[in-house]
Short mmCIF file of all heavy atoms in Angstrom, two decimals:
data_model
loop_
_atom_site.label_atom_id
_atom_site.label_comp_id
_atom_site.label_asym_id
_atom_site.label_seq_id
_atom_site.Cartn_x
_atom_site.Cartn_y
_atom_site.Cartn_z
N GLU A 45 -10.93 -27.37 -129.20
CA GLU A 45 -12.31 -27.49 -129.16
C GLU A 45 -12.92 -26.19 -128.65
O GLU A 45 -13.83 -25.70 -129.23
CB GLU A 45 -12.77 -28.65 -128.24
CG GLU A 45 -14.23 -28.89 -128.15
CD GLU A 45 -14.73 -29.41 -129.38
OE1 GLU A 45 -14.04 -30.03 -130.16
OE2 GLU A 45 -16.04 -29.23 -129.63
N HIS A 46 -12.31 -25.72 -127.55
CA HIS A 46 -12.78 -24.48 -126.96
C HIS A 46 -11.69 -23.78 -126.17
O HIS A 46 -10.92 -24.49 -125.50
CB HIS A 46 -14.05 -24.63 -126.10
CG HIS A 46 -14.87 -23.41 -125.86
ND1 HIS A 46 -15.70 -22.95 -126.81
CD2 HIS A 46 -14.88 -22.52 -124.83
CE1 HIS A 46 -16.20 -21.78 -126.27
NE2 HIS A 46 -15.74 -21.58 -125.12
N VAL A 47 -11.59 -22.45 -126.21
CA VAL A 47 -10.62 -21.76 -125.39
C VAL A 47 -11.24 -20.73 -124.54
O VAL A 47 -12.12 -19.94 -124.98
CB VAL A 47 -9.61 -20.97 -126.36
CG1 VAL A 47 -8.58 -20.20 -125.53
CG2 VAL A 47 -8.95 -22.05 -127.28
N MET A 48 -10.92 -20.70 -123.24
CA MET A 48 -11.29 -19.68 -122.35
C MET A 48 -9.98 -18.83 -122.01
O MET A 48 -9.03 -19.49 -121.53
CB MET A 48 -11.88 -20.23 -121.06
CG MET A 48 -13.18 -20.96 -121.24
SD MET A 48 -13.96 -21.45 -119.80
CE MET A 48 -14.70 -19.98 -119.26
N ALA A 49 -10.01 -17.64 -122.39
CA ALA A 49 -8.78 -16.83 -122.25
C ALA A 49 -9.09 -15.71 -121.28
O ALA A 49 -10.06 -14.91 -121.48
CB ALA A 49 -8.41 -16.27 -123.65
N ILE A 50 -8.24 -15.55 -120.33
CA ILE A 50 -8.46 -14.56 -119.28
C ILE A 50 -7.27 -13.65 -119.10
O ILE A 50 -6.16 -13.98 -119.33
CB ILE A 50 -8.83 -15.15 -117.88
CG1 ILE A 50 -7.60 -16.01 -117.32
CG2 ILE A 50 -9.98 -16.12 -118.06
CD1 ILE A 50 -7.78 -16.50 -115.90
N ASP A 51 -7.59 -12.37 -118.60
CA ASP A 51 -6.59 -11.39 -118.30
C ASP A 51 -7.16 -10.38 -117.41
O ASP A 51 -8.36 -9.98 -117.54
CB ASP A 51 -6.07 -10.77 -119.65
CG ASP A 51 -4.75 -10.06 -119.50
OD1 ASP A 51 -4.64 -9.05 -118.85
OD2 ASP A 51 -3.76 -10.68 -120.06
N PRO A 52 -6.31 -9.87 -116.49
CA PRO A 52 -6.86 -8.84 -115.54
C PRO A 52 -6.84 -7.41 -116.09
O PRO A 52 -7.29 -6.47 -115.32
CB PRO A 52 -5.96 -8.93 -114.30
CG PRO A 52 -4.69 -9.37 -114.90
CD PRO A 52 -5.03 -10.27 -116.10
N PHE A 53 -6.32 -7.23 -117.25
CA PHE A 53 -6.22 -5.86 -117.88
C PHE A 53 -7.44 -5.55 -118.77
O PHE A 53 -7.56 -6.20 -119.83
CB PHE A 53 -4.90 -5.66 -118.64
CG PHE A 53 -3.77 -5.72 -117.70
CD1 PHE A 53 -2.95 -6.79 -117.56
CD2 PHE A 53 -3.32 -4.54 -116.98
CE1 PHE A 53 -1.87 -6.77 -116.75
CE2 PHE A 53 -2.25 -4.50 -116.14
CZ PHE A 53 -1.49 -5.71 -115.91
N ALA A 54 -8.22 -4.53 -118.39
CA ALA A 54 -9.44 -4.25 -119.23
C ALA A 54 -9.10 -3.84 -120.67
O ALA A 54 -9.87 -4.37 -121.57
CB ALA A 54 -10.23 -3.10 -118.52
N ALA A 55 -8.15 -3.05 -120.78
CA ALA A 55 -7.81 -2.58 -122.20
C ALA A 55 -7.44 -3.74 -123.16
O ALA A 55 -7.75 -3.82 -124.27
CB ALA A 55 -6.70 -1.56 -122.17
N SER A 56 -6.62 -4.71 -122.58
CA SER A 56 -6.25 -5.82 -123.31
C SER A 56 -7.44 -6.80 -123.75
O SER A 56 -7.56 -7.14 -124.94
CB SER A 56 -5.22 -6.73 -122.53
OG SER A 56 -4.06 -5.89 -122.21
N ILE A 57 -8.25 -7.01 -122.79
CA ILE A 57 -9.40 -7.89 -123.07
C ILE A 57 -10.32 -7.18 -124.11
O ILE A 57 -10.94 -7.83 -124.98
CB ILE A 57 -10.21 -8.19 -121.81
CG1 ILE A 57 -9.45 -9.17 -120.96
CG2 ILE A 57 -11.59 -8.78 -122.07
CD1 ILE A 57 -9.21 -10.54 -121.59
N ALA A 58 -10.53 -5.83 -123.97
CA ALA A 58 -11.33 -5.05 -124.91
C ALA A 58 -10.82 -5.24 -126.31
O ALA A 58 -11.56 -5.45 -127.31
CB ALA A 58 -11.38 -3.61 -124.53
N ARG A 59 -9.45 -5.09 -126.51
CA ARG A 59 -8.86 -5.21 -127.82
C ARG A 59 -9.00 -6.69 -128.34
O ARG A 59 -9.19 -6.88 -129.45
CB ARG A 59 -7.37 -4.89 -127.72
CG ARG A 59 -7.11 -3.39 -127.90
CD ARG A 59 -5.64 -3.18 -128.39
NE ARG A 59 -4.69 -3.71 -127.53
CZ ARG A 59 -4.34 -3.07 -126.28
NH1 ARG A 59 -4.91 -1.95 -126.04
NH2 ARG A 59 -3.47 -3.64 -125.50
N ALA A 60 -8.89 -7.61 -127.43
CA ALA A 60 -9.03 -8.97 -127.85
C ALA A 60 -10.41 -9.27 -128.40
O ALA A 60 -10.51 -10.02 -129.39
CB ALA A 60 -8.70 -9.96 -126.61
N LYS A 61 -11.44 -8.79 -127.65
CA LYS A 61 -12.82 -8.99 -128.14
C LYS A 61 -13.10 -8.26 -129.51
O LYS A 61 -13.73 -8.77 -130.35
CB LYS A 61 -13.78 -8.53 -127.06
CG LYS A 61 -13.79 -9.39 -125.81
CD LYS A 61 -14.83 -8.85 -124.79
CE LYS A 61 -14.90 -9.81 -123.63
NZ LYS A 61 -15.75 -9.35 -122.56
N GLU A 62 -12.53 -7.05 -129.56
CA GLU A 62 -12.68 -6.26 -130.69
C GLU A 62 -12.05 -6.92 -132.01
O GLU A 62 -12.58 -6.90 -133.09
CB GLU A 62 -12.10 -4.91 -130.52
CG GLU A 62 -12.35 -3.82 -131.55
CD GLU A 62 -11.72 -2.52 -131.09
OE1 GLU A 62 -11.74 -2.20 -129.92
OE2 GLU A 62 -11.06 -1.94 -132.10
N ASN A 63 -10.90 -7.45 -131.75
CA ASN A 63 -10.12 -8.06 -132.86
C ASN A 63 -10.37 -9.54 -133.15
O ASN A 63 -9.66 -10.13 -133.91
CB ASN A 63 -8.65 -7.81 -132.69
CG ASN A 63 -8.27 -6.30 -132.61
OD1 ASN A 63 -8.96 -5.52 -133.29
ND2 ASN A 63 -7.33 -6.01 -131.79
N MET A 64 -11.40 -10.12 -132.45
CA MET A 64 -11.59 -11.59 -132.58
C MET A 64 -11.92 -11.93 -134.00
O MET A 64 -12.90 -11.45 -134.67
CB MET A 64 -12.74 -11.94 -131.76
CG MET A 64 -13.24 -13.38 -131.91
SD MET A 64 -12.95 -14.47 -130.52
CE MET A 64 -14.14 -13.76 -129.36
N PRO A 65 -11.19 -12.79 -134.68
CA PRO A 65 -11.53 -13.23 -135.97
C PRO A 65 -12.90 -13.99 -136.05
O PRO A 65 -13.12 -14.68 -135.00
CB PRO A 65 -10.40 -14.26 -136.31
CG PRO A 65 -9.29 -14.01 -135.43
CD PRO A 65 -9.93 -13.39 -134.15
N GLY A 66 -13.73 -13.68 -137.05
CA GLY A 66 -15.03 -14.15 -137.00
C GLY A 66 -15.17 -15.61 -136.89
O GLY A 66 -16.08 -16.17 -136.20
N GLU A 67 -14.21 -16.35 -137.48
CA GLU A 67 -14.29 -17.85 -137.47
C GLU A 67 -14.02 -18.43 -136.15
O GLU A 67 -14.25 -19.58 -135.95
CB GLU A 67 -13.34 -18.41 -138.53
CG GLU A 67 -11.81 -18.33 -138.23
CD GLU A 67 -11.34 -16.99 -138.79
OE1 GLU A 67 -12.12 -16.01 -139.06
OE2 GLU A 67 -10.14 -16.83 -138.91
N LEU A 68 -13.57 -17.59 -135.22
CA LEU A 68 -13.27 -18.09 -133.92
C LEU A 68 -14.29 -17.72 -132.83
O LEU A 68 -14.19 -18.08 -131.72
CB LEU A 68 -11.89 -17.62 -133.38
CG LEU A 68 -10.65 -18.17 -134.19
CD1 LEU A 68 -9.39 -17.57 -133.65
CD2 LEU A 68 -10.51 -19.69 -134.04
N LYS A 69 -15.33 -16.93 -133.18
CA LYS A 69 -16.28 -16.50 -132.28
C LYS A 69 -17.00 -17.44 -131.47
O LYS A 69 -17.35 -17.26 -130.32
CB LYS A 69 -17.23 -15.46 -132.95
CG LYS A 69 -16.50 -14.23 -133.19
CD LYS A 69 -17.42 -13.05 -133.70
CE LYS A 69 -16.67 -11.80 -133.78
NZ LYS A 69 -17.31 -10.77 -134.57
N ASN A 70 -17.23 -18.63 -132.09
CA ASN A 70 -17.95 -19.73 -131.27
C ASN A 70 -16.93 -20.58 -130.53
O ASN A 70 -17.39 -21.57 -129.82
CB ASN A 70 -18.75 -20.56 -132.22
CG ASN A 70 -19.90 -19.72 -132.74
OD1 ASN A 70 -20.49 -18.90 -132.08
ND2 ASN A 70 -20.25 -19.96 -134.05
N ARG A 71 -15.68 -20.29 -130.72
CA ARG A 71 -14.62 -21.24 -130.19
C ARG A 71 -13.88 -20.57 -128.98
O ARG A 71 -13.27 -21.27 -128.13
CB ARG A 71 -13.65 -21.57 -131.27
CG ARG A 71 -12.82 -22.77 -131.02
CD ARG A 71 -11.97 -23.05 -132.19
NE ARG A 71 -12.66 -23.41 -133.35
CZ ARG A 71 -12.66 -24.61 -133.82
NH1 ARG A 71 -12.01 -25.62 -133.25
NH2 ARG A 71 -13.29 -24.99 -134.93
N VAL A 72 -13.86 -19.24 -128.93
CA VAL A 72 -13.00 -18.53 -127.98
C VAL A 72 -13.86 -17.58 -127.09
O VAL A 72 -14.70 -16.93 -127.68
CB VAL A 72 -11.89 -17.73 -128.68
CG1 VAL A 72 -11.03 -17.04 -127.64
CG2 VAL A 72 -11.07 -18.59 -129.52
N GLU A 73 -13.59 -17.63 -125.81
CA GLU A 73 -14.23 -16.65 -124.84
C GLU A 73 -13.13 -15.84 -124.26
O GLU A 73 -12.22 -16.40 -123.76
CB GLU A 73 -14.97 -17.40 -123.76
CG GLU A 73 -16.20 -18.26 -124.17
CD GLU A 73 -16.57 -19.02 -122.92
OE1 GLU A 73 -16.79 -18.46 -121.80
OE2 GLU A 73 -16.88 -20.24 -123.10
N PHE A 74 -13.38 -14.57 -124.13
CA PHE A 74 -12.40 -13.67 -123.42
C PHE A 74 -13.09 -13.24 -122.10
O PHE A 74 -14.18 -12.81 -122.20
CB PHE A 74 -11.96 -12.53 -124.22
CG PHE A 74 -10.88 -12.85 -125.28
CD1 PHE A 74 -11.38 -13.06 -126.59
CD2 PHE A 74 -9.60 -13.16 -124.96
CE1 PHE A 74 -10.46 -13.46 -127.61
CE2 PHE A 74 -8.72 -13.64 -125.98
CZ PHE A 74 -9.18 -13.65 -127.27
N HIS A 75 -12.39 -13.27 -121.06
CA HIS A 75 -12.90 -12.83 -119.71
C HIS A 75 -12.00 -11.92 -119.06
O HIS A 75 -10.82 -12.19 -118.89
CB HIS A 75 -13.24 -13.97 -118.82
CG HIS A 75 -14.28 -14.89 -119.39
ND1 HIS A 75 -15.67 -14.58 -119.41
CD2 HIS A 75 -14.24 -16.14 -120.06
CE1 HIS A 75 -16.37 -15.58 -119.96
NE2 HIS A 75 -15.50 -16.50 -120.35
N LEU A 76 -12.47 -10.71 -118.55
CA LEU A 76 -11.79 -9.83 -117.77
C LEU A 76 -11.77 -10.30 -116.28
O LEU A 76 -12.81 -9.97 -115.65
CB LEU A 76 -12.29 -8.41 -117.92
CG LEU A 76 -11.69 -7.35 -117.03
CD1 LEU A 76 -10.25 -7.16 -117.29
CD2 LEU A 76 -12.55 -5.96 -117.24
N ILE A 77 -10.80 -11.00 -115.89
CA ILE A 77 -10.87 -11.58 -114.51
C ILE A 77 -9.39 -11.93 -114.15
O ILE A 77 -8.63 -12.37 -114.96
CB ILE A 77 -11.82 -12.70 -114.50
CG1 ILE A 77 -12.06 -13.19 -113.02
CG2 ILE A 77 -11.36 -13.88 -115.35
CD1 ILE A 77 -13.13 -14.17 -112.83
N ALA A 78 -9.16 -11.81 -112.88
CA ALA A 78 -7.89 -12.26 -112.29
C ALA A 78 -7.95 -13.80 -112.12
O ALA A 78 -9.08 -14.36 -111.84
CB ALA A 78 -7.64 -11.60 -110.91
N PHE A 79 -6.87 -14.47 -112.23
CA PHE A 79 -6.86 -15.96 -112.23
C PHE A 79 -7.43 -16.45 -110.88
O PHE A 79 -8.14 -17.43 -110.89
CB PHE A 79 -5.46 -16.51 -112.45
CG PHE A 79 -5.43 -17.94 -112.25
CD1 PHE A 79 -6.10 -18.81 -113.06
CD2 PHE A 79 -4.65 -18.52 -111.19
CE1 PHE A 79 -6.12 -20.22 -112.88
CE2 PHE A 79 -4.68 -19.94 -110.99
CZ PHE A 79 -5.34 -20.75 -111.87
N GLU A 80 -7.07 -15.86 -109.77
CA GLU A 80 -7.54 -16.39 -108.49
C GLU A 80 -9.09 -16.37 -108.45
O GLU A 80 -9.73 -17.26 -107.79
CB GLU A 80 -6.90 -15.59 -107.35
CG GLU A 80 -7.26 -14.15 -107.24
CD GLU A 80 -6.45 -13.40 -106.18
OE1 GLU A 80 -5.43 -13.89 -105.80
OE2 GLU A 80 -6.93 -12.36 -105.81
N ASP A 81 -9.73 -15.29 -108.99
CA ASP A 81 -11.12 -15.23 -109.03
C ASP A 81 -11.77 -16.22 -110.00
O ASP A 81 -12.76 -16.92 -109.68
CB ASP A 81 -11.63 -13.84 -109.36
CG ASP A 81 -11.17 -12.83 -108.33
OD1 ASP A 81 -11.06 -13.15 -107.11
OD2 ASP A 81 -10.87 -11.69 -108.75
N PHE A 82 -11.07 -16.46 -111.10
CA PHE A 82 -11.58 -17.36 -112.07
C PHE A 82 -11.45 -18.82 -111.53
O PHE A 82 -12.38 -19.62 -111.58
CB PHE A 82 -10.66 -17.36 -113.36
CG PHE A 82 -11.03 -18.23 -114.34
CD1 PHE A 82 -12.01 -17.96 -115.37
CD2 PHE A 82 -10.43 -19.57 -114.43
CE1 PHE A 82 -12.37 -18.92 -116.33
CE2 PHE A 82 -10.76 -20.44 -115.44
CZ PHE A 82 -11.71 -20.18 -116.39
N ALA A 83 -10.33 -19.09 -110.81
CA ALA A 83 -10.10 -20.38 -110.33
C ALA A 83 -11.12 -20.75 -109.23
O ALA A 83 -11.72 -21.86 -109.16
CB ALA A 83 -8.71 -20.51 -109.67
#
Side-chain angles (χ1 to χ4, degrees):
Chain A
E45 179 71 24
H46 198 80
V47 177
M48 295 185 78
I50 65 171
D51 200 288
F53 292 98
S56 298
I57 288 293
R59 273 201 303 279
K61 288 180 176 175
E62 189 180 318
N63 297 328
M64 173 114 70
E67 68 272 19
L68 293 178
K69 283 190 174 164
N70 293 325
R71 198 181 292 255
V72 180
E73 296 174 44
F74 286 102
H75 296 283
L76 174 62
I77 189 169
F79 173 65
E80 60 187 23
D81 298 327
F82 179 88

